[in-house]
């Protein structure tokens, strides 16, 4: 098995969100994939097998998840680099088939039909983050159900991860983005911190699925850069020493269906191999 280690949504070498993409025609059983992901300890590890539509499975250190943004963006870039796909392709995940585009500098993915899943209790989440909420906390699903919480300050957050796990189980979300709008205009700019203890990620450096969810939440709340959509730039990760940038584009078609595109730069870090005998299967 080949190990392809990259930084996704990077702003410079060794920034953004690290990702391991493991590629091979044959993979260990799910428990073996989970063991490797736990060993690597990154927020997500991807296992990809070749085909006309490559099959992709995504694991956090504690669980498999159906879909996520930073893994698919990074995987698209890696598979193009390996010659598995061209510039435009589709990746198959347990959460559905996802169109992707990659070039030499980065990649993006597109999710059609993201949906609002209700509203979380903004006050409860704010208390768990030692924050002051400045608005409601809608739950949006662009692959994973995520709560979006506007706050007045991000630097002082102190997350109670046990409390967040309780609230997530109660209200039906897996992560929360605390965010603050920095500018509105032709492009909206936001600063974000994301916490996802329910899936084994206390704080994520830079988060694609949550960036998509935030774009949809802002658009639905009336933040627009054009009549049919929103262009958003997210700054995330600098509080963890991993500064990153996510570019988000939300569009609504004539039938009212939303599509959200999430992308950014991808930079290689290292390549290696994982012996098939590492994990019994």
């Amino acid at each position: 098995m080949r190990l392809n280690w990259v930084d996704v949504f990077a702003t410079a070498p060794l920034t953004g969100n690290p990702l391991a993409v493991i590629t091979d025609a044959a993979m260990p059983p799910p428990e073996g994939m989970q063991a490797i992901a736990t060993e690597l300890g990154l927020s997500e590890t991807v296992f990809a097998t070749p085909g006309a539509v490559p099959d992709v499975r995504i694991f956090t250190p504690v669980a498999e998840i159906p879909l996520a943004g930073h893994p698919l963006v990074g995987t698209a870039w890696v598979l193009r680099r390996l010659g598995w796909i061209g510039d435009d392709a589709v990746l198959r995940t347990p959460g559905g088939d996802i169109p992707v585009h990659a070039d030499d500098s980065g990649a993006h993915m597109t999710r059609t039909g993201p949906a609002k899943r209700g509203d979380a209790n903004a006050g409860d989440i704010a208390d768990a983050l030692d924050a002051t909420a400045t608005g409601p906390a809608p739950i949006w699903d662009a692959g994973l159900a995520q709560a979006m919480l506007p706050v007045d300050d991000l630097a002082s957050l102190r997350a109670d991860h046990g409390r967040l796990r309780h609230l997530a189980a109660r209200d039906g979300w897996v992560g929360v983005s605390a965010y603050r709008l920095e500018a509105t205009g032709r492009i909206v700019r936001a600063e974000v911190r994301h916490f996802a203890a329910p899936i084994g990620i206390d704080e994520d450096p830079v988060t694609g699925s949550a960036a998509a969810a935030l774009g949809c939440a802002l658009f639905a709340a009336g933040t627009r850069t054009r009549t049919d959509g929103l262009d958003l730039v997210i700054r995330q990760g600098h509080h963890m020493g991993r500064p990153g940038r996510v570019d988000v584009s939300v569009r609504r078609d004539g039938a009212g269906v939303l599509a959200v595109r999430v992308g950014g730069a991808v930079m290689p870090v290292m390549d290696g191999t994982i012996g098939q005998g590492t994990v019994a299967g």
Side-chain angles (χ1 to χ4, degrees):
M1 293 181 291
R2 175 171 174 162
L3 170 64
N4 311 268
W5 190 296
V6 296
D7 287 333
V8 184
F9 306 132
T11 58
L14 304 179
T15 64
N17 200 347
L19 176 72
V21 182
I22 296 170
T23 54
D24 198 70
M27 290 293 173
E31 58 270 24
M33 289 187 273
Q34 182 64 73
I36 292 171
T38 302
E39 176 79 8
L40 293 176
L42 299 178
S43 58
E44 283 108 352
T45 296
V46 168
F47 297 84
T49 52
V53 178
D55 187 72
V56 172
R57 297 181 69 169
I58 304 166
F59 289 78
T60 77
V62 301
E64 182 174 12
I65 57 177
L67 185 66
H70 123 267
L72 291 179
V73 170
T75 298
W77 188 88
V78 166
L79 297 189
R80 178 183 180 272
R81 182 190 187 204
L82 296 178
W84 286 25
I85 62 173
D87 293 356
D88 294 288
V90 173
L91 302 182
R92 179 155 295 150
T93 76
D97 289 358
I98 305 299
V100 296
H101 172 86
D103 57 30
D104 291 344
S105 62
H108 65 249
M109 57 159 281
T110 301
R111 178 68 168 167
T112 301
K116 185 179 179 183
R117 302 299 187 197
D119 291 287
N121 187 305
D124 286 351
I125 298 176
D127 286 346
L129 293 175
D130 195 19
T132 300
T134 59
I139 302 169
W140 274 84
D141 186 343
L144 295 169
Q146 313 268 17
M148 302 292 113
L149 180 74
V151 298
D152 63 346
D153 177 66
L154 290 169
S156 62
L157 298 184
R158 295 178 179 83
D160 181 336
H161 300 296
R163 178 66 174 157
L164 290 175
R165 281 190 288 268
H166 168 76
L167 295 174
R170 186 191 73 183
D171 296 337
W173 47 267
V174 300
V176 56
S177 284
Y179 72 92
R180 184 178 63 86
L181 293 184
E182 296 182 310
T184 58
R186 188 178 62 84
I187 297 176
V188 175
R189 298 182 183 274
E191 178 189 11
V192 172
R193 292 180 69 178
H194 186 76
F195 305 91
I199 54 174
I201 306 167
D202 285 350
E203 182 170 358
D204 202 28
V206 199
T207 316
S209 62
L214 179 57
C216 293
L218 292 174
F219 176 73
T223 303
R224 310 285 170 88
T225 57
R226 45 186 287 169
T227 57
D228 66 342
L230 167 70
D231 294 308
L232 169 68
V233 172
I234 289 175
R235 185 169 64 95
Q236 188 182 344
H238 51 286
H239 292 284
M240 302 177 68
R242 301 284 313 190
R245 167 180 169 145
V246 189
D247 295 299
V248 181
S249 175
V250 180
R251 296 291 183 265
R252 182 172 60 190
D253 66 19
V257 177
L258 285 180
V260 58
R261 187 179 73 188
V262 173
V266 181
M267 297 187 182
V269 177
M270 61 181 171
D271 298 328
T273 57
I274 297 177
Q276 290 283 10
T278 301
V279 179

